[in-house]
Amino acid sequence: MPPKPKLGQNFLVDDSARHAIADALGDITQRTVIEIGPGHGAITDILAGRAQHLIAIELDHSLAAELTFRFRDRKNVEIIEADVLEADLEALIPAGETADVIGNLPYYITSDILLKLFTAGSAGRVARAVLMMQREVAERVAAAPGVRDYGLLSATAQMNAQVASLFTLPPTAFSPPPDVFSTVLRLEFAPRFTELGVDAAGFDAFLRQCFSQKRKTLRNNLRSAGHTPEALAQAWPHSIPEQARAEGLALEPMAELYRALNSIQKEN
Ligand code: SAM
C-alpha cells in the first residue's frame, strides 16, 4: 500500500534514530508502554523485545493488520486498530499502574495528542512520554518564558511536565521525506497545579485568556476576557510589570495573579 500523507505516514528509515528513540524511554522491562502510530513497526520491533507489555495503537487498517500478523506469537504485544484520540488510554493501562508513551507522531494531530497525554499525566496514569514531532512544534513545547517561541502550548506543557529536547532529524530519516525537520522530546509528567495552588481546569482556561492575543499586554487580554479594571488593579502582583505580556512571564507569577483574581471574585 502506498503511504497515506493525510494520516501523516512518514516512516522512519534511519536505523540509529529508531534505536535512539526507543532508548530514550529508558529501562522498560517492567513497564506498560503505549506506542502511538506504530506504522510498519520501525520502533515497535525494538520495544516488543524490551517492554513487559506493549500496546500499539494504529488507525490504518492495513498497517494494523500487518502488525497483528507480525507480532502474533508475541504475548506481550497488543495491536489495537483505533484512532488514538478516541482511545480510552487510561482503560488500557492495568489498574493501579502507570504507563509510558512513545510515538513518531502523526503530525496533523500533535497538539490534540499532547492535550490527551496531559490529562492522563494529571490523572497519574502516564509517567513519561518520548514523542517525535515537527521541529517548530517541539521548540514551542520546550521554550522558556521570554524566548520567541514561548506561548500557550509551552505554558500548558510546562504546567504538566518537565520537557527535555533530545535530538533533531532531517527529512531524509523518513520515507517519504516530510517537508519539515523533526525533533524528539521527552516529557516527564509532573503536574504543578497543587504546588502553585491552582485548580487545573480553571488555570487552563485562565492561560487561554492570558495568551489570547499575542500583540496585547496581559492586562488587555484579561480585560477582553471580562475582568474589570478594578479587579485587575486590586489583584495585580508586584512581581508582574504593568505592561507585561504573558509570553514573558514564568508560571509562578501567572499563578499568583490567578489566585488573587479568584479570591477577589469570591469576596464579591
Ligand atoms: N512509527 C512509525 C515509524 O516511525 O515509522 C510510523 C510513524 S508515522 C509518522 C505516523 C503513524 O500514525 C502512521 O502509521 C499513521 O497511520 C498513524 N496514525 C495517523 N493518525 C492516527 C490516529 N489518529 N491514531 C492512531 N494512529 C494514527
Side-chain angles (χ1 to χ4, degrees):
M1 294 292 281
K4 301 182 180 105
K6 270 192 178 166
L7 291 185
Q9 291 185 352
N10 301 98
F11 300 109
L12 198 52
V13 290
D14 180 316
D15 196 48
S16 61
R18 69 191 188 100
H19 279 92
I21 293 168
D23 290 350
L25 265 189
D27 179 3
I28 52 170
T29 52
Q30 305 298 315
R31 304 288 296 151
T32 292
V33 174
I34 297 176
E35 185 185 5
I36 298 172
H40 288 293
I43 309 167
T44 325
D45 270 337
I46 303 167
L47 300 171
R50 294 184 185 173
Q52 183 180 54
H53 183 195
L54 173 64
I55 302 164
I57 304 173
E58 173 57 60
L59 179 61
D60 186 311
H61 172 70
S62 55
L63 291 176
E66 173 191 323
L67 293 178
T68 302
F69 181 73
R70 183 167 353 143
F71 293 107
R72 65 192 179 285
D73 293 330
R74 286 271 191 173
K75 292 216 165 16
N76 65 327
V77 179
E78 203 180 330
I79 309 295
I80 297 181
E81 183 185 331
D83 178 343
V84 67
L85 297 179
E86 303 287 324
D88 184 347
L89 295 186
E90 295 174 38
L92 292 174
I93 303 165
E97 286 184 23
T98 63
D100 296 330
V101 173
I102 192 165
N104 169 13
L105 299 182
Y107 293 174
Y108 71 106
I109 48 171
T110 299
S111 301
D112 290 333
I113 292 172
L114 284 171
L115 291 178
K116 190 170 177 114
L117 294 182
F118 296 151
T119 305
S122 289
R125 303 310 309 281
V126 174
R128 168 182 283 189
V130 170
L131 305 171
M132 176 141 61
M133 62 193 72
Q134 182 176 336
R135 177 172 62 183
E136 289 74 12
V137 178
E139 284 171 352
R140 284 166 49 209
V141 173
V147 308
R148 194 198 55 196
D149 293 318
Y150 189 80
L152 179 60
L153 183 61
S154 334
T156 307
Q158 292 163 35
M159 274 307 290
N160 285 281
Q162 287 170 11
V163 181
S165 182
L166 301 185
F167 54 90
T168 294
L169 296 174
T172 49
F174 306 86
S175 173
D179 296 331
V180 294
F181 278 63
S182 301
T183 295
V184 176
L185 296 182
R186 182 168 49 220
L187 286 83
E188 306 280 356
F189 293 93
R192 299 191 63 196
F193 299 98
T194 308
E195 171 210 336
L196 294 179
V198 297
D199 62 294
F203 194 63
D204 281 347
F206 177 72
L207 286 177
R208 280 196 295 279
Q209 295 174 352
C210 294
F211 287 96
S212 58
Q213 291 206 42
K214 213 176 164 65
R215 295 225 175 111
K216 284 192 178 179
T217 61
L218 173 61
R219 190 182 288 265
N220 283 343
N221 273 331
L222 290 174
R223 272 197 203 155
S224 303
H227 297 277
T228 65
E230 295 74 28
L232 288 169
Q234 201 183 328
W236 208 260
H238 293 300
S239 54
I240 303 183
E242 290 291 319
Q243 295 303 313
R245 286 183 159 71
E247 287 76 8
L249 289 178
L251 289 164
E252 289 80 359
M254 300 281 259
E256 194 181 352
L257 176 57
Y258 174 74
R259 291 194 307 268
L261 282 168
N262 265 358
S263 59
I264 289 170
Q265 264 169 13
K266 275 182 198 142
E267 281 167 20
N268 297 333

